[in-house]
Amino acid sequence: MLIKAFRPWSVKESLATDEQIYMNRRKFMRGSSLLIGGATLSLAGCNSEVAHDVADDMTQSTSTSDFKDPTMDLYPAKRNEAYKLERAVTDETVNATYNNFYEFGSHKHISKAAQALQTRPWTVKIDGLVEEEMELDIDSLIRAMSLEERLYRHRCVEAWSMTIPWTGFAFADLVKKAKPLSGAKYIQMETFQDSQVASGQKQSWYPWPYTEGVSIEEAMNELAFLVTGAYGKPMAKQFGAPLRLALPWKYGFKSIKSIVRFTFTDQRPVSFWEQLAPKEYGFWANVNPEVRHPRWSQANETVLGTDDTIPTQMYNGYADQVAHLYKELGKTEILFR
C-alpha cells in the first residue's frame, strides 16, 4: 500500500484557484493600504505586487505587445504535485498589473512600460569559476531543461504575500550545466541593462545593473527555481521575462528578474538593494517573523486578494527544506546581513 507523506507546506489541490478565475476583473485592496511608509526604499522588497485597480491597469498589460514567445508550445507544463499551497492561488491580474520593476520606474504601475523590453534575442552568460564559460540562447536553454509547474508562496518584506503558479526548472540543473570549480562558493546574478528601453536605468543614483546573489548551497536546494513562465504560459514581461528566480523561503527582493548573467565566485556578492540600504536588505534575507525589518514588523502578513491577515511562518513555511542551510548563522544575520 502506498502511503503519501504530507509535507508541512503542502495543501489540498482543491484550494488552488481555477484558471478561469485568474482573469476576473475584480478590484483588490489598494496598494496604499499595504505600503507602510512613503520612502522610495519601501518599494524594494517585492518582485510582484498587489493590484489597486484591475480594470484600469489591464489596459496597460501584456495585451500591448504582439510578441509571440518561441517556447509557447511548452506550456502549460505539468504540475509537480510535491509543491502545493495552503491557500488559493493569487489572481493573475494582481501580478499582471501591479509590479515592482525599478528598471521601468520606481512606482508600481510599470506593466505598460515593461512591454518595451525586447526578450528575443536573449542570451544568458555563465562565467567566473566554471570549467568553461558559455553564452546560451534563452530558447535553447529552456528547451534543454525539464519544465514543470510549482505552486509557491511569495512573501514581501513589506508584510504582504501571494501564491503563484510558476513554471520553470530547478536552479540546481543550471549549476550542474555550468560545472563550477571547487573554489566557487556563491553565484552572482545580473539583470539586463538598456536605458533606451528601461527609463529607470537613467537614474544614476541606483547601482545598475540590478544584481543579486546566493550561495552555491542555496542554489542547489530543491526549492530554488528558475522561472520561465507563470499561470500556464510563458512569463509576462513585467514578471521578469524571459528568466527570473524564485526563492520562496526568502523575501521577494532576492528573486531577481530578467537575468542575463550567472557569475560563479568565491566572494560573497553585494547586491543591488544591499548596496543602497545594507541594514534593511541584506544578503541572506530569509523570511523570519521573529526579526523585524527596521521599518516593518514581520510577524504577520496580508494575503493579497483577500481580507486575511495571517501569522508569518519561519522561512515562509519551508523550514524543513532550508533551515539546515543556516544553522551556523545567528537570528539577526539570517534576515539582514
Side-chain angles (χ1 to χ4, degrees):
M1 179 176 66
L2 176 63
I3 299 176
K4 186 173 182 181
F6 183 83
R7 301 192 183 196
W9 40 270
S10 298
V11 295
K12 297 178 180 179
E13 185 174 358
S14 61
L15 292 178
T17 303
D18 187 85
E19 170 73 17
Q20 293 181 356
I21 299 177
Y22 293 156
M23 297 309 296
N24 286 345
R25 296 192 174 196
R26 299 175 297 164
K27 291 187 177 182
F28 293 89
M29 63 184 66
R30 295 182 178 271
S32 58
S33 66
L34 297 171
L35 298 179
I36 307 172
T40 300
L41 284 177
S42 71
L43 305 177
C46 326
N47 281 277
S48 303
E49 313 286 347
V50 55
H52 82 220
D53 195 308
V54 172
D56 289 344
D57 289 349
M58 280 301 294
T59 63
Q60 300 182 4
S61 64
T62 55
S63 61
T64 61
S65 173
D66 294 327
F67 172 72
K68 304 298 182 184
D69 193 289
T71 63
M72 181 71 74
D73 60 295
L74 300 178
Y75 302 87
K78 184 178 180 180
R79 178 175 295 175
N80 186 332
E81 298 295 341
Y83 303 95
K84 296 183 179 181
L85 303 172
E86 80 288 356
R87 55 187 182 240
V89 170
T90 302
D91 232 274
E92 183 179 6
T93 51
V94 173
N95 270 329
T97 59
Y98 206 91
N99 312 92
N100 259 357
F101 206 158
Y102 267 62
E103 284 79 358
F104 296 99
S106 58
H107 54 86
K108 297 285 197 285
H109 301 282
I110 55 79
S111 58
K112 182 177 180 180
Q115 304 315 306
L117 178 61
Q118 299 299 308
T119 59
R120 299 301 190 283
W122 191 279
T123 58
V124 176
K125 186 172 184 178
I126 298 176
D127 61 9
L129 297 177
V130 294
E131 287 188 8
E132 183 178 354
E133 296 186 352
M134 61 186 80
E135 286 197 20
L136 304 171
D137 168 72
I138 187 62
D139 296 318
S140 298
L141 173 61
I142 292 173
R143 291 188 180 278
M145 297 298 179
S146 179
L147 298 188
E148 63 183 38
E149 183 180 77
R150 298 184 181 185
L151 303 183
Y152 271 178
R153 298 186 188 95
H154 179 89
R155 174 59 156 81
C156 179
V157 75
E158 292 170 353
W160 57 258
S161 62
M162 296 189 295
T163 56
I164 307 170
W166 295 123
T167 299
F169 57 91
F171 199 164
D173 290 344
L174 183 86
V175 175
K176 293 172 185 175
K177 186 178 185 65
K179 298 180 180 179
L181 301 179
S182 60
K185 297 180 180 179
Y186 302 95
I187 306 172
Q188 177 172 299
M189 294 155 286
E190 183 178 305
T191 195
F192 77 96
Q193 184 165 7
D194 186 350
S195 61
Q196 297 303 307
V197 299
S199 61
Q201 291 183 332
K202 295 178 180 178
Q203 297 173 331
S204 60
W205 53 89
Y206 288 120
W208 305 114
Y210 195 104
T211 58
E212 257 303 340
V214 295
S215 70
I216 292 286
E217 291 77 17
E218 289 175 320
M220 294 297 292
N221 185 270
E222 65 164 304
L223 294 176
F225 202 50
L226 287 170
V227 176
T228 64
Y231 296 93
K233 49 186 175 288
M235 190 160 44
K237 293 180 179 181
Q238 61 267 36
F239 293 173
L243 186 68
R244 67 166 288 165
L245 180 62
L247 299 171
W249 72 96
K250 292 180 178 288
Y251 291 113
F253 66 88
K254 293 293 292 186
S255 294
I256 184 173
K257 294 179 174 181
S258 300
I259 304 170
V260 298
R261 188 176 184 179
F262 296 85
T263 300
F264 290 75
T265 176
D266 57 358
Q267 301 296 313
R268 194 172 92 174
V270 179
S271 60
F272 182 89
W273 287 110
E274 189 177 4
Q275 292 180 58
L276 291 169
K279 293 183 179 180
E280 298 190 16
Y281 304 101
F283 178 81
W284 298 109
N286 295 311
V287 176
N288 187 342
E290 299 177 10
V291 178
R292 63 174 290 120
H293 181 279
R295 286 177 286 131
W296 306 298
S297 168
Q298 299 300 325
N300 299 292
E301 62 197 65
T302 298
V303 181
L304 300 193
T306 77
D307 295 325
D308 298 335
T309 298
I310 62 175
T312 292
Q313 301 179 68
M314 186 65 183
Y315 298 107
N316 204 21
Y318 298 100
D320 286 351
Q321 290 71 45
V322 301
H324 66 279
L325 297 173
Y326 310 105
K327 59 185 179 180
E328 303 300 327
L329 298 180
K331 181 187 297 185
T332 300
E333 188 171 19
I334 287 176
L335 177 56
F336 294 119
R337 287 185 284 183

